[in-house]
Amino acid sequence: MSADFERPVDQRLITTRIIEGKPDHNVIYSAATGTDGNIYLGLSAEMDSPGTYAQLIRYNPEADRFEDIADLGKIIRQPPGSLRHPHSKIHTAICIGNGGKVFAATHMTAPPAGEDFYHYWHVYNDPARCFEGSRLIIYDPRTNGVEDFGVISPKGGCRWLTYNPELEELYLTSFLTAHFFVVKLKTGEVKDLGRISQYDFMGPCYSECGYAYTTDCHGFLLRYSPKDETIEKLPLAIPNAPWRNSDGNGVFHFVAGPDKVKLYGVSAIGQRVFEFDPTVGPYGRIRDYG
């Protein structure tokens, strides 16, 4: 293991800020630094906050204050007393696009208002109660305008989102069915390329080598080619503990490094940090950091 991973963060570099006036929201999974220097956050609600919708907010470091951007309950209008799950989360699904636009995809695990149990699986095939699908919200800081792009994952949520700045496309895997979706922002087209895994926790990530990468639920890397619109399973698996079964060891989180080409991730079951360099050989190289 590299010494850098053994050295704790200097506690003097860590400060805490409290977001006031949000009693029904209890978790933040997503954060991204905008081209305007602000930090965009998805203020979300978990299973113990029935009927609560997520909010897109930002932290202004220079002014040291939080600012409201979009209340999804006001943008995504469901009728009063709706039995559908609310759009309660912006999971790890905020991307900063060309021109500074902020892209945020919605997710759900809060129960409908008046209920105390999250039951997405039970109502998936119920046309009156099923979740309508993850919606893409677009915020433009230059105009302060908020746009509802529409549903990008029918009947499913979105836990991870990645952005291709060259083609202005977004890639995601759907919860719960693990389909791979392509959102073409220039044309408004949404393409479902089918199921890529048994379950969904794989977070796709775009590399400036020209491909997007994720894994199946056994940890094998999947490579999406925007040029061919094809997904290829590579003969490379992310690290796992040697005594564990590979089932469930997908990449839990995937981010591009400083060069925007190498990707860094954490394996879900193996709980190991690794580097993936897609430029080495025909498939790339994985380096296990432990």
Side-chain angles (χ1 to χ4, degrees):
M1 180 185 291
S2 168
D4 290 338
F5 284 99
E6 298 174 342
R7 188 180 303 117
V9 174
D10 187 340
Q11 297 298 296
R12 292 172 297 179
L13 301 177
I14 300 174
T15 60
T16 301
R17 297 292 183 271
I18 296 176
I19 303 172
E20 303 285 356
K22 310 289 185 181
D24 298 322
H25 297 84
N26 50 23
V27 64
I28 295 174
Y29 289 115
S30 51
T33 302
T35 58
D36 56 4
N38 291 312
I39 300 171
Y40 290 87
L41 305 163
L43 191 58
S44 304
E46 271 291 0
M47 303 178 189
D48 53 349
S49 297
T52 301
Y53 282 78
Q55 296 181 10
L56 178 64
I57 64 174
R58 70 182 169 204
Y59 174 66
N60 183 328
E62 185 174 339
D64 190 20
R65 69 169 182 263
F66 290 98
E67 300 165 332
D68 292 338
I69 301 299
D71 183 338
L72 301 191
K74 296 178 180 178
I75 296 172
I76 306 169
R77 296 187 179 276
Q78 292 184 170
S82 173
L83 296 176
R84 300 186 191 277
H85 288 75
H87 295 252
S88 64
K89 286 185 184 177
I90 300 171
H91 207 278
T92 317
I94 294 180
C95 297
I96 307 300
N98 296 340
K101 285 187 176 181
V102 180
F103 302 102
T106 67
H107 188 50
M108 75 307 186
T109 50
E115 301 190 6
D116 59 4
F117 182 67
Y118 166 66
H119 47 229
Y120 170 81
W121 297 272
H122 300 80
V123 299
Y124 184 83
N125 290 316
D126 184 338
R129 299 203 62 176
C130 68
F131 184 66
E132 65 172 345
S134 174
R135 301 183 78 92
L136 177 64
I137 306 301
I138 305 174
Y139 171 67
D140 190 342
R142 296 172 299 182
T143 63
N144 206 35
V146 178
E147 174 191 353
D148 179 6
F149 181 90
V151 173
I152 57 174
S153 172
K155 295 179 66 175
C158 170
R159 291 204 280 177
W160 286 272
L161 191 71
T162 192
Y163 177 68
N164 177 342
E166 283 77 28
L167 296 178
E168 292 191 54
E169 294 181 346
L170 294 166
Y171 311 124
L172 64 135
T173 48
S174 64
F175 175 87
L176 181 67
T177 56
H179 281 225
F180 189 94
F181 284 89
V182 178
V183 181
K184 297 178 180 290
L185 296 165
K186 290 181 178 179
T187 65
E189 182 182 12
V190 178
K191 300 192 73 170
D192 181 355
L193 298 187
R195 192 163 192 168
I196 61 171
S197 181
Q198 181 180 352
Y199 26 84
D200 87 295
F201 53 72
M202 311 72 56
C205 187
Y206 179 73
S207 165
E208 288 193 358
C209 72
Y211 295 92
Y213 294 88
T214 185
T215 68
D216 63 17
C217 58
H218 292 277
F220 284 97
L221 280 166
L222 304 177
R223 180 170 63 189
Y224 171 69
S225 168
K227 178 181 178 181
D228 303 325
E229 296 189 347
T230 57
I231 299 173
E232 179 185 7
K233 182 178 178 180
L234 305 182
L236 287 175
I238 64 176
N240 191 9
W243 61 87
R244 295 182 183 273
N245 186 289
S246 292
D247 187 25
N249 194 47
V251 60
F252 193 77
H253 196 41
F254 226 1
V255 296
D259 64 4
K260 306 295 185 180
V261 174
K262 297 186 186 70
L263 307 181
Y264 296 85
V266 178
S267 54
I269 300 298
Q271 299 179 5
R272 302 180 75 85
V273 177
F274 65 91
E275 174 194 84
F276 172 60
D277 186 346
T279 67
V280 179
Y283 306 115
R285 179 187 65 195
I286 292 176
R287 183 180 180 186
D288 182 3
Y289 284 118

